[in-house]
Amino acid sequence: MRQLGELEAEIMHRLWAWGRPATARDVLLDISKKRPIAYSTVKTVADILHGKGMLKRHKEGRAWVYEPTCTRQQYTASRMQEALGGNPDPVGTLVSFIEQITPEEADALRSALRAARKRSDV
């Protein structure tokens, strides 16, 4: 999965946060609270996200209803894997990453590693 553009990310973040399918109009109404944007722009970007496989859609009446095809966590993990996989020094990249995270994030990383080990032991 490639990195999302600004409006693509804005749409995906809303759909992930809502945890429910939504129409382009639903997204438009929410984005419009912060800045003006055209319905056609939101609809076009939602269609692009569908074409990229980030959203699935179905018709309800005359409107398309969109829903993410992956969770925010799955998307983020995919982006992290791309960064590591395309790097000639993944260990160095991980060390640099670890040096930059907060103690709380380090605790979360340790917990995630323990959980992953338990799953692989099963």
Side-chain angles (χ1 to χ4, degrees):
M1 289 181 204
R2 66 176 201 62
Q3 185 170 343
L4 298 172
E6 185 180 332
L7 185 54
E8 290 174 330
E10 210 171 333
I11 290 170
M12 292 303 298
H13 291 309
R14 278 173 171 75
L15 292 172
W16 282 323
W18 293 342
R20 62 169 173 79
T23 64
R25 181 137 336 262
D26 295 330
V27 175
L28 169 75
L29 293 173
D30 198 54
I31 292 174
S32 294
K33 293 175 186 175
K34 296 190 181 206
R35 65 182 174 97
I37 189 165
Y39 170 78
S40 59
T41 302
V42 174
K43 176 79 173 84
T44 297
V45 174
D47 288 341
I48 290 169
L49 286 165
H50 173 261
K52 291 178 178 179
M54 292 291 299
L55 294 177
K56 57 186 173 182
R57 68 183 184 187
H58 67 274
K59 279 270 193 178
E60 282 187 12
R62 292 179 35 201
W64 286 110
V65 179
Y66 297 92
E67 187 174 358
T69 58
C70 65
T71 66
R72 182 188 317 253
Q73 293 80 0
Q74 290 167 327
Y75 172 75
T76 303
S78 171
R79 297 289 303 138
M80 292 167 68
Q81 184 59 46
E82 283 178 30
L84 288 173
N87 192 306
D89 182 15
V91 172
T93 301
L94 286 168
V95 168
S96 293
F97 173 73
I98 291 167
E99 290 172 347
Q100 296 176 41
I101 64 177
T102 66
E104 294 79 17
E105 291 166 335
D107 288 343
L109 180 56
R110 280 190 282 282
S111 294
L113 289 169
R114 280 192 298 274
R117 259 192 236 113
K118 285 180 185 176
R119 277 190 223 141
S120 66
D121 290 343
V122 175

